[in-house]
Amino acid sequence: MRRTSVRARARHFAPFALITSAALLLTACGADTPDQGQEHVPAGDVVSDLAVDPAAAKLLPPDVKSLTVAVSVGGTPPGTTYLDDGKTLTGQDVDFTKAVARVLGIELKTEQAGFEAILPALDSGKYDFGASNFGVTDERRKTIDFVTYINDGQGFATREDSDLSKVTGLEQLCGLNVATGAGTTFEATLEENRHLCTDAGEKPYKIQTYNEAGAIWSSLQQGRSDVVMSTINGLRYAVAHQEGLKFLNEFHRLDVGFAFKKGSKLAPAFQAAVNKLIEDGTYARILKKWGTTGSAITKSRISPPELKD
């Protein structure tokens, strides 16, 4: 069976938030759907006792005392979501962002934005950096600098009663309804490779996009969709906390990093901060809190080449 190209599969990731915004641009919990898994949100604080690391802080440009971070709310852990108060952001990306800010001794202003709008806005200076599980791809590296802090990727999940097994090529999805997040690289990957089915003389798969992950899972549970394509860690969490689902497989791994405009002078300081977190054990505590220890990296890098199969 012919495999899809790495370049085609490698675009990635959805979903942090304008905290002052009244409208929640969620990609996970729909207002008209059950709040999937909110009772399972880990509440432990693993970053507030961190001190400034002078060596890392010294790498910041001299005038940098505060930064604006753009985030997109993921709705369910380990993606960015809200605590029970409905106001306080939490999630793996939130913890990493807070931890780096403490190590560097800077204040953060957090703004909510649609996932697809964050990267284009970095070049204009609207935001200083983005923190929303952005996968590092060669295409993105043309215009964006990344500082890696975890490894995630693309995967699939479906209902327990489905006959669908491990997806090693998108041809296996021909004729099926595939649910995914709107404006994500999952959608782009599916769109770019839709021709594989017609090339093989088969009916193309139908791409069903949603702005809310709650709607994605409702679509799957109610039979309107046959399979979900999303982040590996997000899928594993959903399957662990929702009945009747099964995780199929990892499809393609990617490094994940903080995103900056090309040539940003902030990247070396952020890299040093992440490496400090790895060294002092905070990094491991964050991953343990969110159940993502399998996504650990051993060293942060600046805009490394895209991972290949």
Side-chain angles (χ1 to χ4, degrees):
M1 181 173 290
R2 185 174 59 180
R3 295 290 303 275
T4 56
S5 69
V6 170
R7 181 181 68 84
R9 292 182 327 212
R11 296 198 250 286
H12 193 48
F13 295 86
F16 225 111
L18 223 176
I19 287 184
T20 56
S21 173
L24 304 183
L25 302 179
L26 300 182
T27 55
C29 303
D32 57 349
T33 57
D35 192 0
Q36 307 278 12
Q38 284 297 310
E39 67 273 19
H40 303 289
V41 177
D45 183 355
V46 294
V47 303
S48 64
D49 61 345
L50 292 174
V52 174
D53 180 68
K58 188 177 181 180
L59 296 175
L60 286 170
D63 57 338
V64 173
K65 304 299 179 184
S66 66
L67 294 173
T68 299
V69 55
V71 300
S72 175
V73 174
T76 54
T80 304
T81 185
Y82 290 92
L83 291 177
D84 291 341
D85 61 11
K87 299 177 181 179
T88 306
L89 286 174
T90 188
Q92 183 170 258
D93 293 319
V94 174
D95 278 349
F96 276 120
T97 303
K98 287 182 177 179
V100 166
R102 288 184 178 277
V103 170
L104 296 178
I106 56 176
E107 297 293 327
L108 287 177
K109 178 184 178 184
T110 304
E111 295 195 2
Q112 175 175 309
F115 176 80
E116 71 284 355
I118 294 177
L119 295 184
L122 295 176
D123 188 59
S124 69
K126 184 176 182 179
Y127 313 117
D128 294 305
F129 70 103
S132 290
N133 206 41
F134 289 110
V136 181
T137 70
D138 289 339
E139 181 174 345
R140 283 178 170 171
R141 291 194 304 129
K142 295 175 183 178
T143 56
I144 299 293
D145 280 342
F146 295 93
V147 172
T148 62
Y149 59 89
I150 200 171
N151 178 276
D152 198 345
Q154 301 178 333
F156 293 95
T158 188
R159 295 183 301 278
E160 285 184 342
D161 61 1
S162 173
D163 293 330
L164 191 63
S165 58
K166 183 177 181 179
V167 178
T168 57
L170 297 184
E171 300 94 328
Q172 292 171 251
L173 304 179
C174 295
L176 300 181
N177 294 325
V178 186
T180 195
T184 65
T185 54
F186 307 112
E187 180 186 5
T189 296
L190 291 166
E191 288 285 2
E192 187 170 337
N193 288 280
R194 193 198 296 262
H195 68 90
L196 295 175
C197 294
T198 54
D199 289 351
E202 299 185 42
K203 181 180 179 181
Y205 49 74
K206 181 179 179 182
I207 305 168
Q208 299 173 319
T209 59
Y210 300 90
N211 291 319
E212 302 172 347
I216 291 177
W217 294 114
S218 292
S219 175
L220 182 67
Q221 293 277 27
Q222 296 170 12
R224 298 192 305 275
S225 299
D226 300 301
V227 61
V228 171
M229 185 179 188
S230 189
T231 65
I232 294 168
N233 288 331
L235 292 172
R236 289 190 185 279
Y237 181 91
V239 168
H241 295 97
Q242 296 185 51
E243 294 183 359
L245 302 180
K246 64 180 179 181
F247 179 77
L248 290 178
N249 62 286
E250 298 181 5
F251 189 62
H252 181 61
R253 278 275 177 178
L254 287 176
D255 287 320
V256 171
F258 297 111
F260 306 84
K261 68 178 181 180
K262 196 70 176 177
S264 173
K265 295 181 179 180
L266 297 172
F270 273 67
Q271 179 191 29
V274 173
N275 284 330
K276 176 63 176 177
L277 296 173
I278 294 173
E279 176 186 327
D280 69 15
T282 303
Y283 182 84
R285 291 194 294 274
I286 293 174
L287 295 187
K288 183 178 180 181
K289 172 183 175 180
W290 296 105
T292 56
T293 54
S295 288
I297 60 173
T298 59
K299 185 178 182 180
S300 176
R301 295 189 293 169
I302 297 176
S303 297
E306 178 183 327
L307 293 177
K308 308 293 184 180
D309 287 344

